[in-house]
Amino acid sequence: FFLRDAVVPRPRNKMPGPKMGARPADFDEGVVRQAPTFLKWQSLADGEKLRYACREFVKGYGDDEERLMRRIMIARRNNLRDHEMLKRARARAR
């Protein structure tokens, strides 16, 4: 009897990694749906791919629309934060 004989691979039903939870409190679906990237997404046919933020999204595949919307919201949040930092830096420089 060897240890390698006792190890039985378990079935992999789910992908490892973080799972999508509830939407964040600042999630604004109306703003996301007006974003140019999301408008391009809506024009795609099922099965077509869109690459955004180093990720690939496939129209009609699983939760890809929700993933894309969250990605757009994250980018928007980061842009707003960076814009506020720039405004503060410019105000101090005056």
Side-chain angles (χ1 to χ4, degrees):
F1 176 73
F2 294 100
L3 181 58
R4 72 173 186 273
D5 297 330
V7 177
V8 178
R10 64 175 198 257
R12 295 183 64 161
N13 296 335
K14 294 190 175 190
M15 295 285 292
K19 309 296 181 266
M20 275 195 290
R23 288 180 171 178
D26 67 343
F27 191 89
D28 188 348
E29 188 169 342
V31 169
V32 171
R33 287 191 177 276
Q34 293 173 359
T37 304
F38 193 78
L39 295 175
K40 179 166 176 51
W41 169 261
Q42 288 182 316
S43 71
L44 297 177
D46 279 357
E48 286 188 301
K49 295 179 182 179
L50 174 70
R51 189 148 175 84
Y52 178 74
C54 299
R55 289 166 173 79
E56 206 164 78
F57 302 91
V58 181
K59 181 82 179 244
Y61 178 77
D63 293 334
D64 277 9
E65 183 167 311
E66 181 67 19
R67 285 179 50 234
L68 176 63
M69 290 175 76
R70 289 172 186 242
R71 230 34 239 161
I72 292 169
M73 193 64 205
I74 289 168
R76 182 176 183 278
R77 185 184 311 135
N78 290 342
N79 288 342
L80 290 173
R81 186 187 64 223
D82 292 347
H83 182 65
E84 287 300 318
M85 287 174 53
L86 280 173
K87 285 191 334 189
R88 284 194 300 268
R90 287 179 185 142
R92 280 185 288 202
R94 290 181 188 179

